[in-house]
Amino acid sequence: MTDDVLVVRAQLGERAALAELLSRWRTPVWVYVRRMLDADRADDVTQEIWLSVVRGLPRLRDPGRFAPWLFTIARRSITDRLRGEYAQAEETPVAGDAVVDDPVEAMVDRAALVSVLSELPVLEREVLVLFYLEDLPVDVCADICRVPAGTVKSRLNRARHLLREHLEEKGYRP
């Protein structure tokens, strides 16, 4: 069954359709959020995303646009969390931020990539994750980020350049 059919059925109150939709998109959403935040924050933000989805699903006008709508909610939730943390950090400066290690990512290459991704600016990291890791087309990335497709392309170009620089600094050669 396609996502748009599941959306319509969920909008009509069918709980099984909603459960199937949430089950289908649970992992992609968590992975996207996890690539933008650490594991603890990713869990919290993911729960907020699903609450927003369940509350907002009845108002979704175009069921065929579920994925961009979902990732827009995810992006907004991530941005809100980061904005709140930045504001709080400015109010109460902390001496030295602790780095959160994720024991699941023990493989050296993966750890290096995750480390380098976290060093990228948020806007570049976001389009890199959406385009390459979530396999979304440029126009959908543009819709989610609420920028023109050309801006997504330039951010991707800058992200690739920065990623290459950071990997070379760490001793990895493409």
Side-chain angles (χ1 to χ4, degrees), residues 6 11 55 66 78 80 85 88 96 103 153 163:
L6 286 172
Q11 287 174 328
R55 289 179 184 146
F66 177 74
I78 292 166
D80 290 348
E85 289 174 2
Q88 185 179 23
K153 290 177 185 177
L163 187 61

Side-chain angles (χ1 to χ4, degrees), residues 92-168:
T92 57
V94 177
D97 292 331
V99 176
V100 178
D101 292 327
D102 188 357
V104 176
E105 297 171 351
M107 296 174 57
V108 176
D109 290 339
R110 181 165 172 82
L113 181 60
V114 168
S115 171
V116 171
L117 274 175
S118 68
E119 293 173 7
L120 294 178
V122 173
L123 296 175
E124 284 76 10
R125 181 178 355 145
E126 177 180 49
V127 296
L128 198 99
V129 167
L130 288 171
F131 185 76
Y132 286 110
L133 302 177
E134 296 300 330
D135 292 323
L136 296 174
V138 170
D139 60 325
V140 174
C141 293
D143 191 30
I144 291 168
C145 295
R146 296 181 182 231
V147 296
T151 302
V152 169
K153 290 177 185 177
S154 66
R155 286 181 185 171
L156 280 170
N157 187 39
R158 178 167 158 69
R160 285 189 294 263
H161 179 72
L162 290 171
L163 187 61
R164 186 176 301 115
E165 282 180 358
H166 287 300
L167 286 172
E168 287 174 356

Side-chain angles (χ1 to χ4, degrees), residues 32-33 36 45 49 68-83 122-123 126-127 130 141-147 155:
Y32 168 66
V33 174
M36 299 299 291
V45 170
I49 292 166
W69 177 76
L70 173 61
F71 279 98
T72 300
I73 290 171
R75 177 183 187 265
R76 192 173 302 126
S77 297
I78 292 166
T79 303
D80 290 348
R81 174 60 62 98
L82 291 173
R83 196 175 288 138
V122 173
L123 296 175
E126 177 180 49
V127 296
L130 288 171
C141 293
D143 191 30
I144 291 168
C145 295
R146 296 181 182 231
V147 296
R155 286 181 185 171

Side-chain angles (χ1 to χ4, degrees), residues 14 20 22 26 29 34 39-40 48 50 56 65 78 88 91 96 102 106 120 127-128 137 148 150 163 167 169:
E14 188 177 316
E20 172 66 25
L22 296 179
R26 178 178 293 126
V29 167
R34 175 60 182 95
D40 292 334
E48 294 168 13
W50 289 117
R65 306 237 343 116
I78 292 166
Q88 185 179 23
E91 292 173 7
D102 188 357
L120 294 178
V127 296
L128 198 99
L163 187 61
L167 286 172
E169 285 175 8

